[in-house]
Amino acid sequence: MKDKIKEIIKEEIKKKFEIETDFNVDEPPSIELGDYSVNIAFRLAKILKKAPKDIAEEIVKDLKIEGVREIKVVNGYINFYLDYKIYGNNVIGEILKLGEDYGKGKINKKVILEHTSANPNGPLHIGHLRNAIIGDCLKRILEFYGYDVETHYYVNDMGRQMALVVYGIEKFGLDESKKKDHAIAEVYIKINKYLEEHPEEEEKINKLMKEYEESLEKNEENEIIKKFEFAVNYALEGIKETLNNLNIKHDKFVWESTYVKNGMVKEIIKKLLETGRVVKEETYLLDLSDFGIEKKMVLARSNGTSLYSTRDIAYHLDKLKRADIVIDVLGADHKLTAEMVRAALKLLGVKKNFEVIFYEFISLPEGSMSTRRGRFISADELLEEALKRAKEECEKRGVSVEKDIAIGAVRFNIAKISPEKPLIFRWEEALDFEKVGCPFIQYAHVRASSILREAHEEERINFSYNFEKEEKELIKLLDKFKEVIKESAEKRRINILANYLIDLAKAFNKFYEKCPILKSEYKKERLALVKATKIVLKNGLNLLGINAPERM
């Protein structure tokens, strides 16, 4: 309806004033002031040298729009009042007809979306969790909007950290009673402590790294390769288990060693050396001052081994060749690195760019998981705590959907905050059944399911009565779902959808409180509204990777 109003008003302006313009269709603060409003007359007043009120009245003179019962000009604003009998039938009819496909788009573009990508030297912590949830929700939204999305986990198997793990396993072995990623972390901590006490053994780590890279370049299948592959896969098994517990799966795990094996890294270093911008000091440094970057980019060590930065350039070059759109989800502390990779790609003659969603840090209030104070909190510990707290809440209410509640609480509490804002994970918000938490939205879905079960009657789409204010607001919000999906996908912001679902659950609860359903003379029509709300709530929760329970 907003698009329809916009197009018709644009045509009227072009026809009456010979001006092509663009503007927003807004929603007044209260439905009594109209359903939609346009303020374009104020902008045209400067061009036409007329009062906004006169321009607005000229725009809407003799204008009729199907589905709009009245158009009023108030102080230069053009306010539109919808005919809810037509509008309601159209919106609810479309939702019930399309079901889980309501809001879907069709865009013939390939997206490669990289997220999580934590080093395989231990378990995911709560910072990685924010990355993973942003990435997974965005994947679901982009796919729903019509993109062909391939998700990547970029595996850092070549850094010093992995060499430490490999040497640590040789030295101390693995505790097989522990979850695999936690066992790897234990080895990593032990070997770091050991090297502090025995610095003379540091050379063995450098030797391991060099041997691994040389073996990769020669495409050899030797003991060194096997040791690194074993250590990385062992950690990844544990990491995948954590992700799986949160309904997160990646399409591909891309190892950075791939780009050493296939020769891309050597080729990139060669091409960058040819630019004349590489300085050799203790390491090979790339001067990016022409791009406004003062710090030099380290390309390779003096012994010839490559660094993460060079392999990262190769990885991005590969992705840009394979997809129309490339998106990375990265912590805000990676901003400089991303700028350096962009600049290096420009030096290599790459015209396309990649997008980055940067997210700020996530923390827990002091003492909320007090037994683990003083060190990082793993994603496993957070999920375990969520399950424990969700179970307590479910027991109070005599239900057993704690897994849906726990996963929903963790995912939604992270999803609802814009990534550029720091996030404090508060349990009272995450598990809020009353106002802002995921259980509040899940409960609205349960309430809709319960009404439909009790009805013992089919719904009917034939709105011919005068709607209550609460019904109008609910129908408008249900119509807005398509716009929310479009905005969430195009702006790459999952919080837009999350916050919309809070608004929808609130609007449904108001409708439930103010409008009788099962004992109403409009029972069948209101059941149609309940069913449409249930569909949209479920669609929205699914796009955030959250289950919508039928009973609670």
Side-chain angles (χ1 to χ4, degrees), residues 189-310:
I189 291 160
K190 277 183 184 175
I191 195 63
N192 272 294
K193 195 176 175 199
Y194 176 80
L195 288 171
E196 278 175 25
E197 293 162 2
H198 302 85
E200 69 283 358
E201 295 213 14
E202 189 65 52
E203 195 46 49
K204 290 182 181 177
I205 305 300
N206 296 331
K207 188 175 175 231
L208 259 180
M209 288 163 71
K210 193 161 171 41
E211 284 176 356
Y212 183 49
E213 186 156 346
E214 285 169 355
S215 301
L216 289 165
E217 284 172 349
K218 293 172 190 168
N219 259 316
E220 289 178 352
E221 279 298 322
N222 56 25
E223 281 306 305
I224 291 282
I225 296 280
K226 284 175 187 171
K227 283 176 183 177
F228 271 81
E229 284 181 353
F230 170 80
V232 173
N233 281 321
Y234 200 86
L236 285 178
E237 277 183 53
I239 288 167
K240 284 177 188 177
E241 190 184 322
T242 303
L243 291 170
N244 196 42
N245 287 338
L246 284 153
N247 297 337
I248 299 171
K249 285 185 173 65
H250 288 79
D251 297 314
K252 284 187 180 176
F253 283 75
V254 181
W255 291 39
E256 60 173 322
S257 55
T258 307
Y259 301 102
V260 173
K261 266 187 190 175
N262 67 15
M264 269 184 87
V265 167
K266 274 209 160 165
E267 186 62 25
I268 282 164
I269 292 172
K270 180 172 167 280
K271 282 184 179 175
L272 289 171
L273 283 166
E274 286 166 5
T275 64
R277 294 167 188 263
V278 177
V279 183
K280 189 181 178 188
E281 292 175 8
E282 287 179 13
T283 53
Y284 289 93
L285 301 168
L286 180 64
D287 185 347
L288 298 170
S289 53
D290 285 359
F291 298 91
I293 300 168
E294 287 180 29
K295 192 176 178 184
K296 290 182 174 68
M297 186 181 201
V298 186
L299 286 182
R301 296 181 184 88
S302 54
N303 65 5
T305 55
S306 64
L307 283 158
Y308 182 88
S309 53
T310 334

Side-chain angles (χ1 to χ4, degrees), residues 451 463 465-471 474 508-530:
I451 293 165
F463 297 108
Y465 62 94
N466 291 324
F467 284 98
E468 297 293 338
K469 177 178 171 242
E470 291 74 21
E471 288 173 291
L474 183 55
F508 179 66
N509 286 345
K510 278 186 191 172
F511 157 73
Y512 174 79
E513 285 162 16
K514 296 285 172 73
C515 304
I517 300 167
L518 298 178
K519 291 180 181 176
S520 164
E521 61 183 302
Y522 313 122
K523 177 183 174 182
K524 289 187 175 184
E525 288 79 4
R526 285 179 175 166
L527 283 172
L529 201 43
V530 171

Side-chain angles (χ1 to χ4, degrees), residues 91-104 144 441 444-446 448-449 452 459 461 474 478 481 485 497 500-501 504 508 527-543 546 548 550:
V91 173
I92 305 306
E94 185 185 2
I95 296 170
L96 297 193
K97 183 184 172 187
L98 294 175
E100 63 183 29
D101 289 337
Y102 175 66
K104 266 191 177 177
F144 191 75
I441 299 159
H445 179 268
V446 166
S449 305
L452 293 169
E459 67 284 346
I461 308 162
L474 183 55
L478 291 169
F481 181 67
I485 293 300
L497 173 59
Y500 162 81
L501 290 175
L504 182 60
F508 179 66
L527 283 172
L529 201 43
V530 171
K531 191 171 183 180
T533 306
K534 175 176 156 45
I535 288 167
V536 175
L537 284 170
K538 187 174 183 178
N539 283 359
L541 286 170
N542 285 345
L543 292 175
I546 297 164
E550 292 290 320

Side-chain angles (χ1 to χ4, degrees), residues 286-346:
L286 180 64
D287 185 347
L288 298 170
S289 53
D290 285 359
F291 298 91
I293 300 168
E294 287 180 29
K295 192 176 178 184
K296 290 182 174 68
M297 186 181 201
V298 186
L299 286 182
R301 296 181 184 88
S302 54
N303 65 5
T305 55
S306 64
L307 283 158
Y308 182 88
S309 53
T310 334
R311 301 188 289 266
D312 208 18
I313 296 166
Y315 175 47
H316 280 84
L317 194 58
D318 188 32
K319 288 192 287 187
L320 288 163
K321 284 176 186 171
R322 292 171 187 265
D324 301 295
I325 298 166
V326 171
I327 305 170
D328 298 348
V329 183
L330 298 171
D333 53 335
H334 286 73
K335 282 181 182 174
L336 177 61
T337 310
E339 283 307 306
M340 285 177 160
V341 171
R342 280 196 176 112
L345 287 168
K346 281 178 187 168

Side-chain angles (χ1 to χ4, degrees), residues 431-443:
L431 290 162
D432 182 5
F433 279 76
E434 309 300 327
K435 285 178 188 170
V436 292
C438 187
F440 171 68
I441 299 159
Q442 288 170 313
Y443 189 69

